[in-house]
Amino acid sequence: KQLLEDSFTKYKKKIGLNINDSTSNFDDVVLEWPYKDCVLEGSQIEQNEVRNEIFWNSVIAKEELSNLLSPKVLTNFKFYGDAKKRNIVNENQVIFGNNLITLHSLKCKFANKIQAIYCDPPYNKGRDTFGYNDKFNHSTWLTFLRNRIEVCRELLKPSGTIWINLDDTENHYAKVLMDEIFGRENFISNVIWEKKYSPQNDAKFFSDNHDHILVYAKDKNFTQFKGLERTEEANQRYKNPDDDKRGPWKSGDLSVKRYTKEYDYPIKTPSGRIVNPPKGRCWRVKEEPFKKLLKENKIWFGEDGNNVPSIKRFLSEVKDSITPKTIWTYQEVGHNQDANRELSKFYDMEEFTTPKPEKLLKRILDISTNETDWVLDAFAGSGTTAAVALKMKRKFIICEQMNYGKKIIVKRLSSVLDGEEGGISKDVKWSGGGGFC
C-alpha cells in the first residue's frame, strides 16, 4: 500500500492494484476493489429490474452468508423424455433459480465431478443486467463474478476446465481475477471468437467483431485436450507431385529457429546449387540423418530440383486430429446471426437477444470433454449449452434465474428430444432421444 499510495491505479474508479506484502516481488500484485471480500446475491429476475443489492461482508455478516450459501432444497421437479425420478442425481438438470445459491447447493453431490464449465456472464456494458448500482458498477460486476467462479472451481474435476466468454469491457480485469482464483500457472489460453461476419459501420472507432473466451484448467497437470477432427479441406493440402508410392504429402521447413553448429552444413541441390541454412538458423537434422532422409526420398527440392530443401510430411503419417488454434472464425464456429436464427425457431427474441451459436459450444465440448462427462453452465440464457450437450451425449447441469429462461429453455430442449434438426444436429447425426428434469 505504501508503494501504491500515490499511484494512478490506487482505487481509480474504485478499482486498483495492490501489493499484499510490500517486501515481496510483483508476482503478488492483486486486483483490489471496495467489495472484494463481500458476497453479492444478484437476485434479479427481469432484464429491466433495478435492485439495491446488499454486499454481504464475509466477516461482519457471517450468519447472513451462512444462511445464503447453505445448500437449499430443490423442488417442483418435472421430467421430460426418458428422465426418471429414482435416478435424479444422474439425470440432466435444468435448474431455475439464483445461480450463486444453486452452485453452493450442487457442491454436496457434484464437487470435483464437472469436466467442463462454460460461463457466459453479463458483459457489464451498461445496458445489460448490471444497472442496479451505478456508483460501483464495475466493482459490483467483479464481486458478482468472483463469488460464482470460486465455487465453480470447487465443482470442477482435477482434469476439468472453465471457459469464460466476455468482450473487451471486462475481459482484462477478469483475466487478473481468474489468475488469483485458479493460479496464473493454470491459464491455458485466451481464445478469440469472430462473432460478427460483417463490419459495424456505425461504430465510432472500431467495429467490435470478436469476443474473448478465457480458458483455465483446475490443474494443468491433469488436463488433456483433444484435437479437432481433421477436415477434408485440411487433407486436400496434401498433394503428390512426384507420384510417391507412400501417397499425398506436403513440404515442411527443414530449418529451425535456433543455431547449433553441428546442424549447420551445406546441402547440394540436384541442380548443383549449394544451399546453407538462413542466417541465425540451422537445419532440423544433422548431416548423417539428412543423407538418410535424402536416400529415402523424403527431401523435396522442387519440381526443377533447384529449391531450398524441405522435408516431406505424408498424410498417412500425420495424427488423426488437428491441434486447436486460438482464433476461431465464424466460418468454423458460427456467428451471432447464426445463433439468433437457431433461437428464433423457439422464441420471439424480445427479451433474450444474445444467444451463442451451437457450433461454438460444440467446439468447446469437442476439445474439453468426452461422452457422458458432466458439463455445467450457470448462466444458461437460452439453453444452448444444454442443447449441444444433449446432441453430443454429454450430461449437463444448467441454471438460469431470469424469467425469460423459463419461457424458452424447456421448449427448446423438448424440441431437441424430439429430434430438432437445427444447429449442430446434422453434424452429429442427431435424431432425438434422451431426457432431462
Side-chain angles (χ1 to χ4, degrees):
K1 289 180 180 178
Q2 291 173 340
L3 292 175
L4 289 177
E5 194 60 45
D6 299 320
S7 168
F8 178 78
T9 62
K10 180 67 174 181
Y11 287 140
K12 184 67 175 176
K13 294 184 179 178
K14 310 300 180 185
I15 306 294
L17 301 176
N18 193 18
I19 301 176
N20 283 335
D21 180 355
S22 60
T23 63
S24 64
N25 60 38
F26 276 86
D27 287 339
D28 296 309
V29 175
V30 296
L31 196 61
E32 286 286 3
W33 63 92
Y35 297 140
K36 184 173 183 177
D37 62 345
C38 295
V39 172
L40 184 73
E41 184 175 344
S43 52
Q44 283 175 278
I45 59 173
E46 297 288 351
Q47 280 282 81
N48 58 358
E49 185 179 4
V50 177
R51 302 178 65 92
N52 291 318
E53 294 282 356
I54 296 174
F55 291 80
W56 297 107
N57 183 278
S58 56
V59 176
I60 299 172
K62 277 189 174 181
E63 184 176 349
E64 289 87 347
L65 280 182
S66 178
N67 290 335
L68 175 66
L69 302 181
S70 62
K72 302 300 186 292
V73 175
L74 305 182
T75 62
N76 301 323
F77 289 98
K78 295 182 181 180
F79 296 84
Y80 298 81
D82 60 13
K84 296 178 176 61
K85 187 172 184 178
R86 64 176 180 271
N87 196 33
I88 195 163
V89 175
N90 290 314
E91 298 290 1
N92 295 317
Q93 299 178 26
V94 178
I95 302 173
F96 293 114
N98 181 286
N99 60 5
L100 180 66
I101 296 171
T102 298
L103 290 168
H104 279 277
S105 298
L106 288 171
K107 285 194 301 183
C108 298
K109 297 291 184 182
F110 290 96
N112 298 306
K113 289 187 178 180
I114 306 297
Q115 182 60 36
I117 297 176
Y118 175 71
C119 283
D120 187 19
Y123 286 6
N124 200 23
K125 297 175 75 70
R127 61 175 183 265
D128 55 26
T129 54
F130 280 84
Y132 49 68
N133 195 320
D134 292 335
K135 186 176 180 181
F136 292 116
N137 182 269
H138 190 42
S139 177
T140 298
W141 187 89
L142 285 167
T143 303
F144 176 90
L145 188 65
R146 178 176 180 264
N147 299 155
R148 286 144 182 83
I149 296 301
E150 284 180 332
V151 66
C152 280
R153 187 182 182 280
E154 295 183 54
L155 293 169
L156 278 176
K157 294 174 66 174
S159 59
T161 54
I162 185 168
W163 306 66
I164 314 286
N165 203 136
L166 296 165
D167 70 359
D168 285 330
T169 309
E170 295 286 4
N171 181 67
H172 305 85
Y173 285 94
K175 169 68 167 66
V176 181
L177 178 63
M178 293 293 292
D179 284 345
E180 290 184 30
I181 297 172
F182 279 82
R184 292 184 67 177
E185 68 278 5
N186 287 314
F187 170 68
I188 293 178
S189 187
N190 177 31
V191 172
I192 301 299
W193 166 45
E194 189 181 19
K195 64 182 178 182
K196 297 177 183 176
Y197 64 89
S198 60
Q200 185 179 334
N201 290 320
D202 60 350
K204 185 175 181 180
F205 297 111
F206 290 95
S207 175
D208 173 25
N209 276 51
H210 74 276
D211 270 2
H212 302 267
I213 304 177
L214 294 173
V215 187
Y216 279 79
K218 184 171 185 178
D219 187 337
K220 259 188 180 178
N221 295 317
F222 296 99
T223 299
Q224 288 188 333
F225 277 175
K226 297 187 298 178
L228 301 174
E229 185 178 350
R230 293 191 64 83
T231 63
E232 189 59 35
E233 179 185 1
N235 291 340
Q236 286 176 355
R237 295 174 190 150
Y238 290 78
K239 309 294 183 183
N240 195 357
D242 60 348
D243 293 322
D244 195 305
K245 63 181 181 181
R246 290 165 288 193
W249 54 270
K250 69 177 182 178
S251 59
D253 197 343
L254 188 64
S255 68
V256 291
K257 293 180 181 179
R258 64 174 187 269
Y259 184 79
T260 308
K261 188 175 180 180
E262 57 264 38
Y263 288 78
D264 183 0
Y265 51 88
I267 292 176
K268 187 176 181 179
T269 71
S271 66
R273 187 163 71 99
I274 301 299
V275 178
N276 289 289
K279 187 176 181 179
R281 299 171 69 103
C282 61
W283 301 123
R284 186 177 297 275
V285 294
K286 293 181 180 180
E287 191 166 10
E288 286 306 313
F290 170 78
K291 291 178 180 178
K292 185 173 184 291
L293 290 171
L294 188 63
K295 187 176 181 180
E296 295 172 347
N297 189 26
K298 290 186 177 180
I299 301 296
W300 176 245
F301 293 95
E303 291 186 7
D304 59 1
N306 194 46
N307 289 2
V308 173
S310 59
I311 190 165
K312 293 165 72 173
R313 304 189 186 281
F314 293 90
L315 178 60
S316 58
E317 296 174 352
V318 299
K319 60 183 181 180
D320 293 333
S321 60
I322 301 173
T323 302
K325 296 185 290 186
T326 56
I327 297 179
W328 296 357
T329 66
Y330 69 81
Q331 293 96 332
E332 297 174 298
V333 296
H335 49 69
N336 287 340
Q337 291 304 311
D338 288 333
N340 289 335
R341 281 193 294 270
E342 292 167 3
L343 185 56
S344 64
K345 296 177 181 178
F346 314 101
Y347 189 54
D348 60 15
M349 305 293 289
E350 288 180 4
E351 294 171 284
F352 189 78
T353 58
T354 58
K356 297 299 184 287
E358 289 193 9
K359 281 187 176 181
L360 177 67
L361 272 298
K362 179 181 183 297
R363 168 68 62 89
I364 290 171
L365 298 189
D366 271 335
I367 293 170
S368 60
T369 66
N370 293 303
E371 289 187 7
T372 74
D373 281 341
W374 280 104
V375 177
L376 170 69
D377 183 348
F379 299 88
S382 64
T384 304
T385 300
V388 172
L390 259 176
K391 295 175 184 180
M392 295 180 66
K393 298 181 175 62
R394 273 66 170 169
K395 293 187 288 187
F396 67 80
I397 303 171
I398 64 170
C399 176
E400 180 53 55
Q401 72 182 46
M402 303 298 284
N403 278 338
Y404 56 66
K406 297 178 182 178
K407 300 174 185 177
I408 176 175
I409 292 176
V410 172
K411 183 177 180 181
R412 181 177 189 174
L413 295 184
S414 296
S415 180
V416 173
L417 297 185
D418 292 337
E420 178 263 321
E421 296 179 351
I424 65 166
S425 293
K426 291 182 180 178
D427 295 336
V428 299
K429 298 179 175 59
W430 177 251
S431 59
F436 65 93
C437 62

